[in-house]
Amino acid sequence: HAICQKYSIFFGSSANSLHCYLVCHFSLILCRHYLGRAYKIFLSRAGKVDNKNIILTPDHIKELMVRLARLSVDDVVLDTCAGSGGFLMEAMETMIALAKGNQETITKIKEKQLIGFEIDSVLFALACSNMFLHGDGRTNLLYRSSLLDETQGGIVNNSDKELLEYIRGMKPTRVIINPPYENNNPIKFTIQALNYLEPGGKLVIIMPTPTLTHNQGGLTEKVLSIAKLEYVIKMPNKLFSEQKRTVNTSIFGFTKTPHIQSDDVLFYNLDDDGFVSIQHKGRIDKNGTWPEIEDTIFDAISNSKDIPGVCQKKKIYKDGVLNCAGVQKRRNSNYEMVKVSTLFHITKGTLASESNVEGDYPFVTAGEEWKTHTEYALDTEAIVYAVSASGSLGRSHYVNGKFIASNLCLVLTSKHDPKYPIDLKFYNCYFASIRKQIVSDLADGTSKLTISPDMFKDYYIDYIPYKEQQAFVKTKLKDFLTLQEKYKKAQEQLSQDIAALSD
């Protein structure tokens, strides 16, 4: 009755008029609810989802990123690659809730505190419709690239200097983005976003995990001269499986103030977000665990907490050397950190599996079991390290003698440097022990994960003193190999016993 009285001012006393309003109102709510899925269907029909460079942010991660931005009612939010406008809409709804019904503040939020760039015409149209359906058609949406050093024919308002001054004049305090991943774009968008931001402003960006490592020695140092890296949240590799993508991504949080070498960075490993793939429904929070997971992440990031096995604070500089994967704290801090290429000569394997012909020489592949080949390419002691086989990524094999290696692998041999003597048996075990960490730090790609040989060469590992390497091989490794041999014999005996049952 109260609702009828309230809306009779606008609709008169007609029950039919009120009914029409309520139908429209709840239809809009349903429309918003299914909008995300409708966009995915539309994009698939438009061919956009098949483009490996367009990766839509799942709703729960979008909401987490906006929450991590810690918005206030006065923040100005910028998305430099807005896509369908999801981050802007989430930010708008968050700030409107903080306005607590103040219409003047809400109007200001809609008109002056949301800015978006999008260069793709289809996505730009979707962003406009998204904003309209969310009750806002006045946000500053710009149909052009936000990268000011890139000129695009046919794009309006392409005067870079005037545009930069205009955006800076709006004083953005938060940038929340999921940039395109091709052509090293993530680091470019990171730098451009920081150039737009006000001092002390925050950038929350999801991008390939190796981005900063890949750009060490240049652009990464430029980023860190402008902004402090606060946290890195490693995402599950299955995050984009609904879009048929396997991408190693992380959420990076920056504050626009220079990073100094003594600063801690919180590294959070989200192996499992609780979502499972259900046929015809995509990835869903079947068991309702995500809210608790999200709260744990937010609490850890907000309070910079160390949680054993989940997250830890690490520095990214040691002795003036930058290591974007973080300096490991769990090992002896007196061990020197060196690049893989400091200890090893590194070459690429030569044989493709389809060219293999069974023979007398070991064919060391990325898989757990070796094959054989008619010829050998090397006669030496080496470690064979898988860099291009997604299922076996990061697996290492020790080999000594005549062999040939798969072209999906790297071959590591000792440099015989008197300063850094190494035992290859030891370092084969070492690589196995940090396999998960290396894959997490370096795996890249939007359909099949690989490890760049160049990034692997520049990856920092511990140099363990030679006497300690030898002691490990003589004791721990010897015991392991003895047990391994017993296991193989027991496995063979079990197979024979099972075969005997059928006799």
Side-chain angles (χ1 to χ4, degrees), residues 30-49:
L30 287 173
C31 183
R32 292 176 185 173
H33 179 72
Y34 289 105
L35 196 57
R37 187 156 296 278
Y39 282 165
K40 292 172 185 175
I41 294 171
F42 182 87
L43 288 172
S44 66
R45 299 292 173 83
K48 297 294 179 184
V49 168

Side-chain angles (χ1 to χ4, degrees), residues 147-355:
L147 300 178
L148 298 186
D149 59 347
E150 293 186 357
T151 56
Q152 302 289 338
I155 305 303
V156 297
N157 191 20
N158 203 28
S159 176
D160 291 350
K161 183 178 179 180
E162 291 181 8
L163 178 59
L164 180 60
E165 291 175 354
Y166 170 73
I167 299 298
R168 284 181 172 171
M170 296 186 72
K171 299 185 182 300
T173 56
R174 301 288 186 272
V175 178
I176 311 170
I177 53 175
N178 180 7
Y181 296 164
E182 84 285 4
N183 300 326
N184 206 26
N185 269 320
I187 198 73
K188 299 176 188 176
F189 275 89
T190 299
I191 293 170
Q192 187 66 76
L194 293 171
N195 285 335
Y196 286 127
L197 263 178
E198 289 285 282
K202 294 186 179 297
L203 166 64
V204 182
I205 177 172
I206 182 170
M207 58 185 180
T209 302
T211 298
L212 297 183
T213 299
H214 177 68
N215 289 283
Q216 284 181 200
L219 295 178
T220 294
E221 284 79 358
K222 182 176 181 179
V223 167
L224 295 173
S225 72
I226 304 170
K228 177 185 177 184
L229 179 60
E230 302 278 3
Y231 57 84
V232 179
I233 307 173
K234 173 69 175 65
M235 295 285 101
N237 285 344
K238 294 182 179 180
L239 185 65
F240 300 104
S241 61
E242 188 178 354
Q243 301 171 55
K244 296 180 175 61
R245 306 284 192 268
T246 301
V247 193
N248 175 21
T249 55
S250 293
I251 297 172
F252 294 77
F254 294 92
T255 299
K256 190 171 180 180
T257 186
H259 191 106
I260 61 177
Q261 294 191 12
S262 60
D263 285 335
D264 283 327
V265 180
L266 188 68
F267 287 81
Y268 194 109
N269 187 14
L270 182 63
D271 270 337
D272 184 6
D273 59 359
F275 279 63
V276 294
S277 295
I278 303 295
Q279 192 173 16
H280 306 307
K281 293 183 179 181
R283 295 186 80 240
I284 64 172
D285 185 17
K286 182 180 178 181
N287 300 311
T289 57
W290 173 249
E292 183 178 350
I293 294 173
E294 181 184 340
D295 287 344
T296 300
I297 295 170
F298 184 75
D299 179 53
I301 298 301
S302 298
N303 297 295
S304 194
K305 288 184 175 180
D306 272 314
I307 304 175
V310 177
C311 62
Q312 63 173 311
K313 286 179 284 188
K314 295 189 284 187
K315 300 189 188 303
I316 58 174
Y317 283 92
K318 182 177 181 181
D319 301 326
V321 177
L322 176 61
N323 178 10
C324 290
V327 177
Q328 294 292 342
K329 294 172 66 176
R330 63 183 176 85
R331 299 189 182 94
N332 188 328
S333 60
N334 294 322
Y335 290 153
E336 182 182 357
M337 300 293 290
V338 298
K339 292 182 179 180
V340 172
S341 58
T342 300
L343 303 183
F344 302 95
H345 288 298
I346 302 173
T347 57
K348 198 169 187 298
T350 56
L351 184 62
S353 291
E354 58 268 23
S355 302

